[in-house]
Amino acid sequence: MKKSKILGVGHSLPERIVTNTELSGMMDTNDEWIVERTGIEQRRWFTPGVDTVTSLSKDASVMALKRAGLEAKDLDFIVFATVTPDYYVPGNGVLLQRELGIPGIGALDIRNACSGFIYALSVADQFIKTGMYRNILVVGAEIQSSGLDKSNEGRSSAVIFADGAGALVLSATDQEDSGILSTHLHADGTYAEELYCKDPGSSRADRYSQELFDSGSFFLKMNGNVVFKHAIVRFIEVINEALEANGKTKEEIDLLIPHQANLRISQYIQQKLEFPDEKVFNNIMHYGNTTGATIPIALSEAWEQGRINEGDLICLAAFGSGFTWASALLIW
């Protein structure tokens, strides 16, 4: 059986930087309040008419392909994680495929929000292990800022979520001492409405109506306290699950890259695992929570900064809407 190995990583972010001070002009908030509760100092928001989920994902994919030493024509499949596609239908995978100029190959969209990228990585890993595909492009990309309630009522979400894209090239390898060791996927729909965007939903008498717009049901809703309490438990569980499945200990992890949900969550996990700063990668301070894009953006930046080296044991972990949570353990 083949194993799958990451050959190249890439990321792309909108040019527009939105500071906490700028947000304070839109809603009743301030830099101290945001930093204390989220750790975020600034984030990137898209520019209408310039940035799209497709354009950001294309730039990230081109970077990943270049670093992998491959061309778009070498790809066999695309797995695209997003909950904010450019179109309601079709999914964003085919739009990226078109932009890359590789018609004919399959494109699969994953809608698992903050855990979406690890779900996508797991799907790609299975395709490679079975021998169906050799080179797969795995993408996480979001434009969240256009769907945020930027009033006082929605500020708890509006200060957190942001835009960006990340990508990696996953390829088949025969090397025993490298590649993805395992992935672990979980969900509990009991808590679906604790972090969700209700509309546009198909089971309405009218999918788009003034009544729905006035109700605010098109905005993201989050019960921050419930999300936090569940996240800190599930993160630890799914990290330990990955370690136990491979006979590894937490001391053997060279770098943990958690989904960038909230710096307080990441710091809690780090404290519980007794990890020094050099073993955990965070960039939420600069980019906010880009949902399905946080992990590939962080992977790309960590590699650029020399935080990831060949042979390193890397752990990825995520928790988010659904509730869903997931982890992946790999040797770089």
Side-chain angles (χ1 to χ4, degrees), residues 6 37 65 71 87 91 111 119 131-132 179 192 228 246 271:
I6 298 172
R37 287 162 176 78
L65 284 164
E71 298 180 13
Y87 299 152
R111 284 179 52 86
Y119 268 73
M132 186 168 184
F228 185 91
N246 294 282
Q271 180 184 14

Side-chain angles (χ1 to χ4, degrees), residues 66-310:
K66 182 177 181 180
R67 290 172 171 175
L70 298 176
E71 298 180 13
K73 64 180 178 60
D74 297 316
L75 295 172
D76 304 309
F77 198 68
I78 296 171
V79 187
F80 199 119
T82 185
V83 290
T84 58
D86 287 326
Y87 299 152
Y88 192 80
V89 176
N92 234 100
V94 298
L95 303 181
L96 174 59
Q97 180 222 56
R98 180 175 65 186
E99 289 299 306
L100 292 174
I102 46 175
I105 71 168
L108 173 68
D109 280 52
I110 301 287
R111 284 179 52 86
N112 284 81
C114 299
S115 302
F117 187 80
I118 297 182
Y119 268 73
L121 185 66
S122 181
V123 169
D125 182 41
Q126 311 314 311
F127 276 128
I128 288 176
K129 282 179 176 176
T130 61
M132 186 168 184
Y133 299 122
R134 183 168 185 81
N135 298 313
I136 301 179
L137 180 65
V138 187
V139 180
E142 309 281 3
I143 288 181
Q144 293 280 9
S145 61
S146 57
L148 299 175
D149 179 0
K150 303 178 183 73
S151 69
N152 287 341
E153 184 177 353
R155 66 177 179 174
S156 62
S157 299
V159 301
I160 292 175
F161 293 97
D163 312 334
L168 62 79
V169 177
L170 198 67
S171 296
T173 180
D174 293 315
Q175 292 179 266
E176 290 295 325
D177 58 346
S178 67
I180 295 177
L181 301 179
S182 64
T183 57
H184 307 270
L185 312 178
H186 298 280
D188 186 350
T190 305
Y191 304 95
E193 288 76 26
E194 302 295 349
L195 175 51
Y196 81 130
C197 184
K198 185 176 181 179
D199 285 306
S202 61
S203 55
R204 316 287 178 264
D206 295 298
R207 190 177 296 179
Y208 304 97
S209 68
Q210 191 60 51
E211 182 181 358
L212 289 179
F213 280 112
D214 293 342
S215 74
S217 62
F218 284 83
F219 291 128
L220 184 73
K221 306 292 184 181
M222 178 175 66
N223 185 333
N225 288 334
V226 172
V227 171
F228 185 91
K229 289 176 182 178
H230 282 263
I232 58 177
V233 172
R234 297 306 191 187
F235 262 112
I236 299 295
E237 283 182 355
V238 82
I239 291 168
N240 285 332
E241 180 182 6
L243 291 170
E244 291 169 9
N246 294 282
K248 303 288 186 181
T249 65
K250 65 180 183 179
E251 288 76 19
E252 293 178 85
I253 292 177
D254 293 294
L255 190 65
L256 169 66
I257 300 182
H259 161 58
Q260 303 295 291
N262 185 311
L263 188 60
R264 291 194 302 143
I265 293 176
S266 294
Q267 289 173 336
Y268 181 91
I269 297 165
Q270 178 179 346
Q271 180 184 14
K272 286 297 181 181
L273 293 173
E274 300 178 318
F275 277 4
D277 290 345
E278 59 267 21
K279 278 200 171 189
V280 183
F281 190 87
N282 289 303
N283 59 6
I284 191 173
M285 306 81 71
H286 311 298
Y287 304 134
N289 180 346
T290 56
T291 316
T294 71
I295 287 178
I297 291 173
L299 260 176
S300 181
E301 281 210 324
W303 181 84
E304 281 184 346
Q305 296 173 18
R307 298 279 298 275
I308 298 177
N309 299 288
E310 187 171 355

